[in-house]
Amino acid sequence: MINESRPDAGRNASPFLHGHEAASVARVLESGQYGHTDITEKFERQIARFLRVPDAVAVTSGTAALHTALLAAGIKAGAEVIVPSMTFCATVQAILAVGATPRFIDIDATTMCVTPDLVKKAITDSTGAVIPVLFGGRAVDLTPICADLAERGITVIEDAAHAFGSRNHTDSRLVGSNATVLTCFSFGPIKNLTCGQGGAVIPRTPDEAHTLRRLRLLGVAQSQSERAETTTYQVHGFGLRYQLSGLNAAIGLAQFDHFDMAAAARRHLWRTYRAALTGVRDVTLIDVGPDHAVPHLCQIRVPRRDEVFAHLRKAHIGVGVHYPPNHLQPAFATWRRPLPATEQAGEQILSLPFHQHLTEGDVAHVVRALRAALDAIGTTPRM
């Protein structure tokens, strides 16, 4: 018998725990040290080891990762940052936080991601950085324009909030392992790997890693262990309280023990949806490329999306929309420009329940409910 409560919206925001997280947090609580501790640094080393990179800098969230990455890259007022409108508003807020200007660009309608051509067309003399968003977990390969970007001094800062564990489609390199880009991860409640709340930046150089660590600790240059052995410390510049708590790092470390299983489960779930949706009229599945990605979302395009959404919510199916386009938001109206593919997607996209609590039976239940919703509203869009 199918448990019909599982696809409900309440599960969408619930992290998938493997069973050891509570004990890991309890050990940190018992230690009496809840700030940035050796547990945080152990988590950083684990990220670096997983990605096979020299270093990783843990911070409080994916938004903090983007903010500190922009600061470390020297992006300031007067600079433009190329960014897709189809992303969570946090990406745009991080740009505004450093005083820069977002230059919104369109997406490829099939993948919901930017392409090298779309980025290249948006470059101006004021461009300081480009933030490709690895939407749904799909890697974005800007290799065809990397030399041009480097020649112009444009930094690539990957928003890989959805893409921890994903690989590039062309060379199978793990997202975050490219030494020519700054990569930002999120370890929020429902991400592929969760810390409860957390994030990380993968620096390009040791100097950049040092800058990121200074920025995340209020501009203080010395580490916690170094400060413990002296009567003073030095503040070398602007900084924020962005260091990751050992409590959160402990959750992340416990999650790492099961990450291969989590990645396989997410791929299997996405493919189960793909098979179940075959032949469902008027539905197009957004391709995340599960052979390389660790999927974070399962999205479809449907006509009369708002009506389908209402039918499914009434049936207690936890559908959502990721995301309302940012260039149409009141807060970002100053930078609005025509983005036809994004605007069409904004009217059609629907996120199906997608989390490791789901079973194959749950997927079948969601797709049956989707069929019923489509039957209820008919196939012809209202004029």
Side-chain angles (χ1 to χ4, degrees):
M1 182 176 179
I2 296 170
N3 181 347
E4 297 193 359
S5 68
R6 286 190 172 183
D8 191 271
R11 283 287 195 175
N12 290 356
S14 176
F16 187 87
L17 303 179
H18 300 279
H20 304 293
E21 290 87 354
S24 298
V25 172
R27 286 193 291 273
V28 178
L29 288 170
E30 290 165 3
S31 76
Q33 300 296 317
Y34 305 159
H36 178 105
T37 67
D38 60 332
I39 300 299
T40 307
E41 293 171 10
K42 184 177 179 181
F43 180 59
E44 290 178 327
R45 291 193 296 272
Q46 182 63 46
I47 295 170
R49 185 160 50 247
F50 176 81
L51 297 176
R52 298 182 181 178
V53 297
D55 208 348
V57 180
V59 290
T60 52
S61 68
T63 309
L66 288 166
H67 189 192
T68 51
L70 285 160
L71 289 168
I75 306 303
K76 300 175 182 177
E80 285 186 345
V81 178
I82 296 171
V83 63
S85 174
M86 184 55 67
T87 181
F88 187 45
C89 61
T91 315
V92 186
Q93 296 288 19
I95 295 168
L96 297 181
V98 300
T101 299
R103 180 165 173 78
F104 291 118
I105 62 170
D106 220 342
I107 52 170
D108 177 88
T110 303
T111 64
M112 307 286 282
C113 294
V114 302
T115 66
D117 284 346
L118 288 166
V119 171
K120 189 172 183 177
K121 289 175 184 176
I123 294 172
T124 71
D125 291 341
S126 298
T127 303
V130 54
I131 302 183
V133 176
L134 283 54
F135 203 90
R138 186 184 185 95
V140 175
D141 186 7
L142 296 182
T143 300
I145 60 170
C146 277
D148 187 33
L149 294 175
E151 186 177 339
R152 294 170 179 262
I154 298 172
T155 303
V156 178
I157 301 173
E158 291 184 318
D159 182 342
H162 291 179
F164 188 76
S166 292
R167 292 179 179 272
N168 192 293
H169 289 242
T170 54
D171 59 14
S172 293
R173 183 167 49 186
L174 276 166
V175 169
S177 64
N178 184 345
T180 67
V181 306
L182 274 162
T183 301
C184 300
F185 291 113
S186 170
F187 304 122
I190 57 169
K191 294 303 192 294
N192 297 350
L193 183 146
T194 184
C195 288
Q197 285 289 353
V201 186
I202 310 304
R204 295 171 293 181
T205 66
D207 284 346
E208 199 164 63
H210 178 76
T211 298
L212 289 162
R213 289 193 163 92
R214 174 174 54 77
L215 285 166
R216 74 165 178 199
L217 189 59
L218 299 166
V220 176
Q222 289 78 20
S223 68
Q224 180 172 306
S225 59
E226 289 171 334
R227 297 197 312 276
E229 301 300 324
T230 184
T231 59
T232 189
Y233 57 82
Q234 293 180 322
V235 181
H236 281 202
F238 176 77
L240 296 148
R241 186 172 286 282
Y242 277 169
Q243 67 268 38
L244 184 69
S245 163
L247 293 165
N248 296 105
I251 297 171
L253 283 167
Q255 288 263 310
F256 252 119
D257 292 338
H258 306 275
F259 185 72
D260 287 347
M261 181 178 68
R266 285 178 170 270
R267 291 187 178 108
H268 176 71
L269 180 62
W270 196 92
R271 290 178 177 126
T272 301
Y273 263 121
R274 181 173 60 187
L277 289 165
T278 300
V280 179
R281 63 176 176 81
D282 297 330
V283 170
T284 302
L285 180 64
I286 303 298
D287 183 18
V288 300
D291 291 345
H292 294 88
V294 178
H296 175 66
L297 296 172
C298 184
Q299 290 183 303
I300 58 173
R301 288 176 178 264
V302 291
R304 295 161 63 177
R305 189 270 317 279
D306 290 1
E307 294 175 70
V308 175
F309 175 90
H311 274 272
L312 290 173
R313 295 291 286 200
K314 188 175 180 180
H316 306 292
I317 304 297
V319 288
V321 173
H322 299 85
Y323 299 97
N326 282 288
H327 73 292
L328 304 180
Q329 294 287 359
F332 312 131
T334 301
W335 306 288
R336 182 170 178 169
R337 54 199 298 259
L339 301 174
T342 299
E343 288 160 22
Q344 184 178 52
E347 295 175 351
Q348 296 178 339
I349 53 171
L350 187 69
S351 297
L352 301 177
F354 191 78
H355 45 77
Q356 289 159 247
H357 302 283
L358 294 172
T359 66
E360 291 183 2
D362 295 325
V363 171
H365 174 64
V366 171
V367 175
R368 282 198 300 272
L370 175 62
R371 287 180 184 271
L374 292 166
D375 287 341
I377 66 171
T379 59
T380 305
R382 289 177 180 171
M383 301 302 291

